[in-house]
Amino acid sequence: MAQKGEKVRILRKESYWFNEVGTIVVVEQKTSTYPVLVRFTKVNYSGTNTANFKVEELTTP
């Protein structure tokens, strides 16, 4: 299971941050579709530097 503060690589191909490394900020304990919030150093086209992912879409770098 993913833990807060852990560095992860993104595996979701349609994500702006595909293959980028980010830091886990929050892991929700409730049943949610995308329970892991990841923060990145670079921003996307809309100026956002965070996104939610499934645990299966993350791997350790």
Side-chain angles (χ1 to χ4, degrees):
M1 186 66 183
Q3 294 181 342
K4 182 177 177 181
E6 187 177 351
K7 298 280 186 183
V8 291
R9 185 173 301 278
I10 307 303
L11 300 177
R12 186 192 303 167
K13 292 191 185 254
E14 65 273 6
S15 173
Y16 177 82
W17 294 285
F18 176 63
N19 267 341
E20 295 288 328
V21 175
T23 305
I24 296 177
V25 179
V26 175
V27 179
E28 294 179 9
Q29 299 302 323
K30 301 185 261 185
T31 55
S32 176
T33 307
Y34 300 101
V36 183
L37 180 67
V38 180
R39 180 173 290 142
F40 303 93
T41 54
K42 72 178 192 177
V43 297
N44 65 5
Y45 300 115
S46 63
T48 306
N49 69 340
T50 59
N52 289 72
F53 296 94
K54 294 179 181 179
V55 175
E56 301 83 33
E57 298 174 329
L58 307 173
T59 186
T60 54

